[in-house]
Amino acid sequence: MTDQAAIPLYMAREGLAPSAEASALRDSGRLLKVPVTLGSGEAWLVTRYADVREVLSDPTRFSNALSAAAAAPLSIGLSDEERARRRKGQLLAFDPPEHTRLRRILAPEFTMRRMRVLEPRITEIVDAQLDELERLGPGADFMAAFALPVPSLVICELLGVPADDRSEFQERTSRLLDMSRPREERAQVGRESDTYMRGLVARALADPGEDILGMLIREHRDELDADALTNIAGMLLTAGHETTANMLALGTLALLTSPGELAALRAGLDDAEQVEAAVEELLRFLSVAHSGIPRAAVRDVEIAGQLISAGDQVLFALAPANRDPGFVEDGDRLDVSRKPTPHVAFGHGPHHCLGAPLARAEMALAFPALLRRFPDLALAVPPEEIRFRPFHVVYGVETLPLTWTPTTGAGTDPQPR
């Protein structure tokens, strides 16, 4: 059984909701010093929507670069030179203007226009994984058969990663992001990931393909060395599948435990605007990314009446912020027909998630396809038996067994309902 007391407050959840303690802190308007799981020491925790946006939008007062030491626990055994190499190209480790330069290089691959070009291939991947889910039959684990493979296969193709390597990097990423594992173990996983990505970059340098790595090598080789390319590829590979996979699983769980909202979404599956609104609402309601890289105060600043001294770290809790009554009415209720809100599920400001258009495109294609394929989709176990992953940087479930009425001949490996 999970020790709830050991879970940092900014990661604490109660099922699909932020913890009551985190919500109460938000409603009090106060800041609280909490342990920094991603690094060492303590940080001021910001939970109100307006305060979160203020911190995230202003790198002149709240610096990513100054908080880069937060990654130190994963640099165990590395020399200063090796740490510097691991930092090259890392969007999350820099402030403008260096961050702006790196983001400008990568941004063209993640525009909505680019996503429209990718839609046919994403659709093919979605349909293939739905075929696999149907083949496994009622009782199959949605997480393993669909939620993880879909974004993993998409990002593999975008980066030129062999599909056969997918399960290996999924397993490494899960261990790397599991904050309950010893720092030494996570540091070793980080080294293994770095070795893999260096091999991938070396092959791309020798023979650039039509993927993102190939584009970066052809168009920006004078700006990005092998270290920067390795770090960029690692960041995209990790971020490109973990958040979307857990959004697909938790989003499905949220819908299946909210019959009225599921019915409303089913009724609007042919309305692109309705589907997009539902995706935005699920993003807001679930906020699978707990927080992000801690910021460091550049100088003495005041947030919510609290003095934050220069050098102090600042963390932000996205789940309670996205349900803040000062931001959204009745925020603890899932409403797939809600007008899209400017939520902070993808962050805000200069470090707003680069891959947000890709995640949105995958969800907007995956949820309708899933609901059309299985008209009577349901949980295969009682909701209280679903096991969550509270210690992961990205919130999710261990497994999600689903059931449905199989069509004639479908499900060659059925499991009991």
Side-chain angles (χ1 to χ4, degrees):
M1 182 175 293
T2 301
D3 180 3
Q4 292 290 328
I7 301 173
L9 183 56
Y10 71 94
M11 297 173 67
R13 307 278 183 128
E14 295 173 5
L16 298 179
S19 71
E21 185 180 358
S23 297
L25 178 63
R26 176 202 64 208
D27 294 343
S28 75
R30 298 184 299 109
L31 271 57
L32 181 70
K33 267 202 169 178
V34 298
V36 183
T37 306
L38 291 176
S40 57
E42 293 182 314
W44 290 104
L45 181 61
V46 179
T47 54
R48 291 195 307 183
Y49 175 81
D51 297 335
V52 167
R53 281 174 61 101
E54 181 177 350
V55 171
L56 295 180
S57 66
D58 191 353
T60 66
R61 293 190 296 157
F62 301 98
S63 169
N64 273 53
L66 291 179
S67 65
L74 300 186
S75 302
I76 297 171
L78 298 182
S79 66
D80 289 343
E81 180 183 354
E82 288 172 316
R83 287 191 179 96
R85 291 177 62 190
R86 291 281 190 94
R87 193 164 177 254
K88 289 183 181 179
Q90 288 282 15
L91 282 173
L92 297 178
F94 293 99
D95 299 320
E98 176 61 13
H99 169 267
T100 306
R101 181 187 73 84
L102 289 168
R103 192 176 179 99
R104 188 177 295 121
I105 290 173
L106 293 168
E109 292 300 311
F110 293 95
T111 61
M112 289 307 298
R113 182 177 180 181
R114 174 73 169 133
M115 294 308 106
R116 284 192 287 271
V117 173
L118 289 174
E119 280 185 6
R121 181 56 186 139
I122 296 174
T123 298
E124 289 177 359
I125 290 173
V126 165
D127 289 343
Q129 293 309 133
L130 287 174
D131 290 344
E132 173 64 8
L133 187 65
E134 191 167 14
R135 185 193 70 78
L136 291 171
D141 177 17
F142 179 75
M143 192 72 190
F146 186 86
L148 272 170
V150 168
S152 298
L153 289 168
V154 171
I155 200 65
C156 277
E157 290 199 10
L158 287 178
L159 286 172
V161 176
D164 290 344
D165 294 348
R166 176 173 55 82
S167 60
E168 182 181 346
F169 83 70
Q170 280 179 358
E171 190 270 340
R172 278 198 304 264
T173 299
S174 181
R175 289 164 61 200
L176 188 67
L177 299 182
D178 184 353
M179 309 305 291
S180 68
R181 294 179 181 271
R183 292 190 302 178
E184 293 78 6
E185 178 185 342
R186 294 175 58 232
Q188 176 58 34
V189 174
R191 289 190 287 272
E192 293 171 2
S193 298
D194 184 70
T195 298
Y196 176 81
M197 298 313 303
R198 287 190 183 281
L200 184 72
V201 167
R203 293 192 295 273
L205 286 168
D207 183 20
E210 296 303 315
D211 47 64
I212 292 178
L213 271 181
M215 179 277 294
L216 292 174
I217 290 167
R218 285 191 299 273
E219 299 181 15
H220 302 282
R221 187 66 182 91
D222 57 336
E223 300 175 78
L224 303 171
D225 63 12
D227 292 330
L229 290 167
T230 295
N231 296 331
I232 288 171
M235 175 194 68
L236 294 177
L237 191 61
T238 299
H241 82 275
E242 190 72 18
T243 49
T244 306
N246 286 290
M247 268 303 307
L248 289 173
L250 286 188
T252 300
L253 175 60
L255 290 168
L256 293 179
T257 52
S258 304
E261 299 312 301
L262 176 61
L265 180 54
R266 283 190 179 282
L269 288 180
D270 293 327
D271 184 340
E273 288 189 4
Q274 173 61 59
V275 171
E276 290 172 6
V279 166
E280 294 305 312
E281 173 68 352
L282 287 167
L283 284 163
R284 180 202 68 81
F285 183 74
L286 297 169
S287 304
V288 296
H290 297 293
S291 182
I293 300 298
R295 274 37 172 191
V298 176
R299 58 182 181 272
D300 289 358
V301 295
E302 187 176 296
I303 294 288
Q306 175 65 56
L307 175 66
I308 300 174
S309 300
D312 280 2
Q313 293 196 82
V314 180
L315 271 172
F316 36 92
L318 300 179
N322 272 331
R323 296 180 178 215
D324 188 341
F327 157 58
V328 62
E329 184 178 353
D330 201 9
D332 288 321
R333 182 174 67 88
L334 176 66
D335 179 1
V336 297
S337 299
R338 191 189 303 270
K339 182 179 179 181
T341 59
H343 59 74
V344 289
F346 288 121
H348 179 66
H351 287 279
H352 181 271
C353 178
L354 181 71
L358 177 60
R360 285 183 165 111
E362 290 172 321
M363 286 184 280
L365 293 169
F367 284 125
L370 172 69
L371 297 180
R372 288 191 178 103
R373 179 71 70 97
F374 304 111
D376 60 348
L377 191 69
L379 292 177
V381 298
E384 58 270 18
E385 292 184 15
I386 299 297
R387 291 177 300 150
F388 293 91
R389 305 188 315 173
F391 283 100
H392 278 65
V393 173
V394 179
Y395 192 54
V397 293
E398 296 287 351
T399 60
L400 187 65
L402 299 183
T403 189
W404 59 90
T405 301
T407 57
T408 303
T412 59
D413 185 23
Q415 302 178 36
R417 297 179 67 171

